[in-house]
């Protein structure tokens, strides 16, 4: 018996919403297939990127599958095939896509018996295996789709918010690798009260902009992150210049996607998004760095909504 699932790339943080905001992208996906076998336990089969761990408890997809088998006290095992569509360490939620695709494939194999809260927990476990922190800002949109807000709580509360249909995001991935662990280790452990006030104001404005359908406000709020983006920009060669190029090309706002090094910018049409993409890519080309570009609407379907 087989089951399979695909999970999309995601943009997390979205400026001032560190570990809180995220949205799903159209385009690249990770794909996981699971096959029930009589031998208990989990095995990773097929070729995988040589930089990914093959040890069952260390590979995100197999670690999630093992946890889900244990949750149902299974006497059988599974073979897991992981097909990576997302680049590693890119800031596009690569580990989350693997964790979510594994979670949903196993959910289907096991008879769709889990609640949404339980599925989120399994996927967050995968994220923890990957980077040591069970943050949900990538896995929530990869699982449920759309633009999501992680309020926290127990169980973790996820709020899904509609995004105006004509808003477009352009994501540019420079061929540099920035492991999430390293990008998290660079962050301050505490911030000044006035910095916290600035981030709360901008995070609240970003959500207000979604309800007001006000892309210009969304862009201003996106760029108001006073805590995480200023630190991480310094870890990404050419980032500042690429961001300035996006704004000069008329983007409503620009920020780092997840932990980076990819950046994303916002526009209100496909044609404008493509122009912004060309300007950003040109900056990295001048630094001798190749790029991949994706244009997407904001908040594509999540793994649970894909068959
Ligand atoms: N919120 C996470 C971070 C997303 O910025 O570290 C990357 O996985």
């Amino acid at each position: 018996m087989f089951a399979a699932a695909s999970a999309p790339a995601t943009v997390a943080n979205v400026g001032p919403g560190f570990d809180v905001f995220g949205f799903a992208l159209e385009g690249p996906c990770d794909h996981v297939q699971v096959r029930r076998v009589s031998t208990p336990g989990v095995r990773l089969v097929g070729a995988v990127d040589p930089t990914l761990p093959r040890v069952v408890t260390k590979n995100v997809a197999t670690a999630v599958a093992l946890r889900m088998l244990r949750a149902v006290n299974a006497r059988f095992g599974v073979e897991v095939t992981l097909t990576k569509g997302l680049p590693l360490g890119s800031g596009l939620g690569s580990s989350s896509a693997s964790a979510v695709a594994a979670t949903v494939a196993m959910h289907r194999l096991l008879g769709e018996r889990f609640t949404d809260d339980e599925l989120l927990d399994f996927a967050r476990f995968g994220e923890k295996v990957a980077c040591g922190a069970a943050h949900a800002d990538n896995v929530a949109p990869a699982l449920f789709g759309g633009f999501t807000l992680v309020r926290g709580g127990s169980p973790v509360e996820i709020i899904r918010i509609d995004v105006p249909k004509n808003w477009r995001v352009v994501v540019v991935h420079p061929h540099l690798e920035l492991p999430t662990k390293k990008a998290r280790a660079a962050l301050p452990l505490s911030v000044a009260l006035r910095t916290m006030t600035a981030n709360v104001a901008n995070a609240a404005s970003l959500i207000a902009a979604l309800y007001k359908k006000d892309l210009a406000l969304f862009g201003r709020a996106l760029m108001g992150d006073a805590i995480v983006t200023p630190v991480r920009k310094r870890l990404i060669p050419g980032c500042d210049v690429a961001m300035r190029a996006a704004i000069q090309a008329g983007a409503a706002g620009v920020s780092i996607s997840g932990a980076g090094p990819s950046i994303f910018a916002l526009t209100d049409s496909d044609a404008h998004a493509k122009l912004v993409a060309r300007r950003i890519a040109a900056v990295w080309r001048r630094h001798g760095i190749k790029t991949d570009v994706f244009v997407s609407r904001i908040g594509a379907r999540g793994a649970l909504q894909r068959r």
Side-chain angles (χ1 to χ4, degrees), residues 2 40 62 70 84 99 107 134 143 178 208 221 227 232 239 241 252 258 277:
F2 287 97
T62 49
R70 287 187 175 154
K84 290 293 299 176
H107 181 50
L143 195 52
L178 177 54
I227 301 172
R232 285 186 170 168
C239 184
V241 187

Side-chain angles (χ1 to χ4, degrees), residues 217-295:
L217 174 61
F218 192 93
R220 289 195 298 281
L222 176 70
M223 294 197 295
D225 172 30
I227 301 172
V228 174
T229 314
V231 174
R232 285 186 170 168
K233 265 203 280 199
R234 297 199 285 270
L235 304 177
I236 308 168
C239 184
D240 232 350
V241 187
M243 284 183 166
R244 273 204 301 278
I247 297 304
Q248 278 159 8
V254 62
S255 192
I256 297 173
S257 176
S262 295
I263 66 170
F264 69 100
L266 300 163
T267 71
D268 59 3
S269 75
D270 280 326
H272 195 181
K274 286 177 189 155
L275 168 75
V276 172
R278 283 198 297 276
R279 296 284 174 81
I280 297 174
V283 171
W284 270 310
R285 203 166 41 242
R286 284 200 291 279
H287 283 73
I289 297 165
K290 289 192 181 135
T291 51
D292 301 314
V293 170
F294 313 97
V295 173

Side-chain angles (χ1 to χ4, degrees), residues 12-13 17-20 91 93 95-96 127 131 135 137-138 180 183-184 187 228 232 258-260:
N13 299 335
F18 176 69
D19 279 1
V20 174
S95 51
S96 307
E127 192 70 285
C131 79
H135 58 86
D137 52 338
N138 286 109
T180 301
R184 291 181 83 84
L187 299 179
V228 174
R232 285 186 170 168

Side-chain angles (χ1 to χ4, degrees), residues 192-205:
L193 197 57
R194 65 175 179 283
T195 313
M196 187 275 289
T197 305
N199 263 49
V200 169
N202 281 293
S205 303

